[in-house]
Amino acid sequence: MIYLDGRGKMSKIVIEGGKPITGRLRIQGAKNAALPLMAASILMGEGERLLLRNVPHLKDVETMESILSFMGFLPEREGNSLSLVAPKDIKGEVPYDLMRKMRASVLILGPLLSKKGKVVLPLPGGCPIGTRPIDLHLKGFSLMGAEIAIKHGYIEAKADGKLRGAKIYLDFPSVGATENIIMAATLAKGTTVIENAAREPEIHNLMDLLYKMGVDIGRDGESTIVIKGVEELKGSEISVIPDRIVAGTYIIAGVITKGNIRVENVNPFHMEALLAKLNEAGVRVEHGENWIEASFVERLSGIKITTLPYPGFPTDLQAQMMSLLSIAKGTSIITETIFENRFMHVSELRRMGANIRVEGNSAIIDGVESLSGAQVIATDLRAGAALVLAGLSATGITVVSKAEHIDRGYESFVENLSSLGARITREED
Ligand code: EPZ
């Protein structure tokens, strides 16, 4: 058994394409909401308890659990609920091999710095889609009075006494930087104002929790967040919002296979950009308060998509849309503005017969009648999911290797697709 740098077994997903995906599916809680909500537990006073509901069963959630467990938080999982109790002394030095498993581990930096006044953590690694710098996170902390040094691949941050509230303008509405600075500001002395803050729904989920934990926090207009620091945060509970990216992935699975899918326990208002683009391409989309139904009507028409910060079209659905538009009529153009290297699925889709060329940060897709099954490799979780979608639609057999990437963000992906009519299995290497 080959272990990919300590992360689970290497596995592959085998698909026999051509079967329409039809039926209903309840969508999991959002990975990108659960992770910052878990990190917020670091801010609680000793003995306080945080209860999270609708927490998805994912590798990245397990990784965050092991980090918090190392720090002394005794995470307890019961079904889709997760509880965390704040220990007397939080261990601040998390080992490198734990931190390196997941970039989002950087989200413990802000809470730890604010809680303990000093933190030494390994610099998070990059990943295939980009270098993933954290300069905006660190700029925020230094404006709040922290001294930051980067030595031998470690971040050393210390604040003599408490962090101070500050006015921080984010050059880019970074999701992680917004979340990290918000959490650092909750225990700072005074008021912090974050301008040009990210507006993703996952950040609202975090703000709602912090408000329930006793923080005076709110938005002043669409992109400005104001946080008044407090002495201590008490325990509370909250539900993780539905995963809009996972929901979008299954919707596209229904459309790309000429089927009909109804996703439930979703928030359609978090998915307006995707639904509008699917509509524009010729998909029939209906929705209620917490469900969306998408039906294939006729071969899609090519469209233009540009990924943008929320509420623009999400970069995390860019690869999945590329699979879909590979078999649309005419030409589509997808421009990726968020990450510098998020077209690695292009060469894999080409192996399946897609006609795509990349010019700068745009991919020009000339639709083909159908894709053909091939051996392809997942490079990150969203590209992996996109290749599975392409395989569901292709004629013949597709084998997606390094499928363990997908487990980081998709709960029971193979089982769910199989229950919706796909001929799909997973094989361990
Ligand atoms: C979050 O990553 C998500 N991850 C990503 O989802 C998502 O793609 C991304 O937001 C954009 O929506 C989690 O929430 C755990 P950013 P994050 O900071 O916070 C640059 C997935 O598939 N930047 O908004 O890292 C950065 O290089 C993952 O679930 C700086 O330059 O995203 C990137 O080009 C993938 N300096 C852009 O901003 C900084 O200090 C967006 O990054 C921070 C970011």
Side-chain angles (χ1 to χ4, degrees), residues 220-273:
D220 174 13
E222 287 183 333
S223 301
T224 301
I225 297 173
V226 183
I227 309 108
K228 292 195 176 74
V230 293
E231 276 308 305
E232 196 168 79
L233 270 65
K234 54 186 194 305
S236 187
E237 43 70 41
I238 199 163
S239 267
V240 177
I241 59 171
D243 195 312
R244 59 197 167 97
I245 305 301
V246 168
T249 305
Y250 284 111
I251 287 171
I252 296 169
V255 179
I256 203 171
T257 56
K258 303 187 174 67
N260 168 306
I261 186 160
R262 180 181 165 112
V263 289
E264 298 175 337
N265 184 45
V266 295
N267 186 334
F269 304 103
H270 292 166
M271 302 175 65
E272 289 181 347

Side-chain angles (χ1 to χ4, degrees), residues 31-32 103-104 129 132-137 172 174-176 315-316 338-339 342 381-382:
K31 164 176 84 81
N32 293 348
R103 274 202 34 78
I129 62 177
R132 313 291 293 274
I134 59 166
D135 54 304
L136 297 175
H137 303 234
F172 178 85
S174 152
V175 173
T315 173
D316 291 349
I338 306 294
F339 288 106
R342 204 169 197 176
L381 75 157
R382 307 301 175 188

Side-chain angles (χ1 to χ4, degrees), residues 35-60:
L35 295 173
L37 292 172
M38 291 169 75
S41 62
I42 295 168
L43 297 162
M44 293 190 297
E46 182 193 345
E48 293 293 323
R49 182 172 176 267
L50 171 63
L51 175 64
L52 299 177
R53 295 194 188 83
N54 197 34
V55 180
H57 292 272
L58 301 169
K59 276 216 177 317
D60 277 8

